[in-house]
Amino acid sequence: MKIPKRIDLSQKQMEALLKRAERLLPKEDYEIIKSMADTIAFLSRSVGKKNVQIRKLVNALFGAVTEKTAKVLKEKKEKEKANSEDKQTKGHGKNGASQYNGAEVIEIAHPTLKPKDKCPSCKKGKVYEINIPKTVVRITAQAPLSATLYKMQRLRCNLCGKIFTADAPEGIGDKKYDSASGAMIGLLKYGAGLPFHRLENLQNALEVPLASSTQWDIVEEVSKKIAPVYEEMTKTAAQGDILYNDDTVAKILENILADDKDRSTRKATFTSGFASVKDGIKIALFYTGNQHAGENLADLLAKRNKEVGPPIQMCDALSRNVPKDFQTILANCIAHARRRFIDNYESFPQECEHVLRILKRVYINDAYTKESNMSPDERLEYHQKKSASLIADLKKWLTSQLDDKKIEPNSSMGQAITYMLKHWKGMTLFLHVAKAPLDNNLCEQVLKRAILHRKNALFYKSFYGAYVGDVFMSLIHTCELCKANPFKYLKALQENADSAAREPGKWMPWNYLEMI
């Protein structure tokens, strides 16, 4: 069977063709031709939408490798010429000694020489210490939670029967599980996504048993000690200049199995992720329950000082992300709109390439403002000078695609254009308001921690268990945003629980070291 030649027609060309057919053909034949054209247009739209949906499904199942413009457009990266001495192979995962900040350091002195001794080689000079010692890294392994058995010798008199027991070493405490145990279990469970039962199996394999129920008891006790700091951190986050928010699905077994006769009660549960930015400090927050991100944001803004004024809110265009009772300066995510053009690239390569290249230049401009450490006002001025014309040309081009009927409005490409134009004001806020971000990527990175937990643990058992997870995730992710060690931080909060409860503001991830 001969493969038919493909002919691409715009909507405008199709309408012109039908008008010519109407003039030249009898009415009956024209109706047949028109029905055939409508059928082809309908099938084309359906196939286009199906292709986009299939690509979304594949990405959801296997993950998108990258959304970078060069990769999407299948460009070859230009290799920069470099001198042979500068050409070095990548480390392939190897880390230098300076990267092991948490390693135990053992200093070894020279066995026979000390500074200012006579040189054993030339017999004339003196040796002096070099500031950079030779360093050797050795990695060993042990169970995530190791155990130490203290066997105190016992002696008994053969006449009176009195027993004499050796004293326990000083400093071992009277608790079976120390603060490091609680920090490690919390970090593995809520930071690395390792469920209790997997850790139990691992500990059993290494002959240091730790039951799942015991792990829960430990993290529950720790959560009570660190909760005052979490509550104080929410108040601090509420004062942020920029608030990012978004939702992801969560499962709570208590809610799923509940026999709720009230049909009006919302049965779905979500984890809302927040990122707050103020004066260079970034805070991550998690809320898991029946409320959407906008409702949780309203609860957060209720803690905001009225004198501060409304914050910039960055989110995607879903209405449920916006609080009803509080005013915000709404910015919408360019990355969400850009992703729609990526999904349509195979069907509309030229059109999508045009959009992606313009947005790439805007992101390059924004990266330059960060590399140059520009102030918010300087960044705003730079974007107005360099990006405003790009954005204006893009809007003109997008509008012409629909007005000139080059793109069918109901097609997947037409819907991508319509979405971007509909939310144009929020997506271009960075051209009018200082500090306004381009996208919601920071919050999406925050939510990945909740998604990791959901993929591994599948669900929370109860709303209380979800709250414990929110407390740990919020503190752990904020530590990472502030370049603080989450293990040392959780350990320090437990060891200084009374002080942290009295003055939680002094025990934030970015300032707690001043209290130790």
Side-chain angles (χ1 to χ4, degrees), residues 44 60 200 240 269 436 486:
S44 298
E200 177 182 2
T269 49

Side-chain angles (χ1 to χ4, degrees), residues 118-353:
K118 185 176 290 187
C119 174
S121 178
C122 68
K123 310 296 184 181
K124 296 179 181 180
K126 295 182 179 180
V127 295
Y128 291 89
E129 185 172 1
I130 301 173
N131 292 331
I132 303 175
K134 180 181 178 180
T135 304
V136 177
V137 178
R138 291 292 180 265
I139 307 296
T140 185
Q142 61 182 20
L145 284 91
S146 58
T148 303
L149 298 178
Y150 295 93
K151 294 186 176 181
M152 278 76 78
Q153 186 181 30
R154 296 195 300 171
L155 305 170
R156 181 167 54 189
C157 176
N158 65 341
L159 292 179
C160 68
K162 186 174 182 179
I163 297 175
F164 302 89
T165 305
D167 294 333
E170 293 185 4
I172 67 171
D174 56 353
K175 291 186 176 181
K176 184 175 182 179
Y177 301 98
D178 63 0
S179 58
S181 300
M184 180 58 73
I185 296 172
L187 190 57
L188 289 173
K189 167 69 172 175
Y190 302 108
L194 185 66
F196 289 145
H197 69 90
R198 291 187 191 173
L199 180 56
E200 177 182 2
N201 293 337
L202 177 60
Q203 292 290 137
N204 287 339
L206 298 172
E207 298 183 336
V208 186
L210 183 65
S212 298
S213 58
T214 303
Q215 295 175 51
W216 165 250
D217 292 339
I218 292 172
V219 296
E220 181 186 19
E221 182 181 356
V222 174
S223 70
K224 294 175 181 178
K225 295 179 179 179
I226 65 179
V229 176
Y230 167 74
E231 297 299 333
E232 181 66 23
M233 199 164 69
T234 61
K235 297 177 183 178
T236 304
Q239 318 308 318
D241 295 327
I242 311 171
L243 294 176
Y244 302 75
N245 70 316
D246 202 356
D247 265 337
T248 188
V249 176
K251 291 184 179 180
I252 300 178
L253 198 60
E254 177 185 22
N255 186 66
I256 296 174
L257 300 178
D259 184 15
D260 193 351
K261 298 180 180 180
D262 186 2
R263 296 290 182 180
S264 63
T265 301
R266 185 183 294 163
K267 295 294 292 183
T269 49
F270 313 89
T271 294
S272 298
F274 292 87
S276 173
V277 180
K278 184 178 179 63
D279 299 331
I281 295 176
K282 298 178 181 178
I283 299 173
L285 294 176
F286 295 85
Y287 293 99
T288 302
N290 295 115
Q291 295 192 144
H292 284 297
E295 296 164 329
N296 286 320
L297 180 57
D299 293 342
L300 184 64
L301 291 176
K303 302 175 183 179
R304 186 178 180 86
N305 295 332
K306 296 181 180 179
E307 299 79 16
V308 178
I312 298 171
Q313 180 196 353
M314 167 53 73
C315 61
D316 60 41
L318 289 175
S319 60
R320 68 189 189 191
N321 289 332
V322 181
K324 295 182 179 180
D325 301 327
F326 292 89
Q327 181 183 0
T328 61
I329 304 172
L330 185 62
N332 290 133
C333 178
I334 291 180
H336 276 76
R338 179 180 177 275
R339 199 166 293 133
R340 291 171 176 252
F341 292 98
I342 292 175
D343 292 336
N344 280 284
Y345 178 74
E346 295 296 331
S347 301
F348 300 88
Q350 294 181 349
E351 293 84 353
C352 292
E353 180 177 352

Side-chain angles (χ1 to χ4, degrees), residues 492-510:
L493 289 185
Q494 296 175 71
E495 294 171 350
N496 300 274
D498 293 337
S499 177
R502 289 194 305 269
E503 300 178 296
K506 295 182 179 181
W507 288 91
M508 297 291 107
W510 56 87

Side-chain angles (χ1 to χ4, degrees), residues 66 113 175 183 429 494 504:
T66 181
L113 293 175
K175 291 186 176 181
L429 188 70
Q494 296 175 71

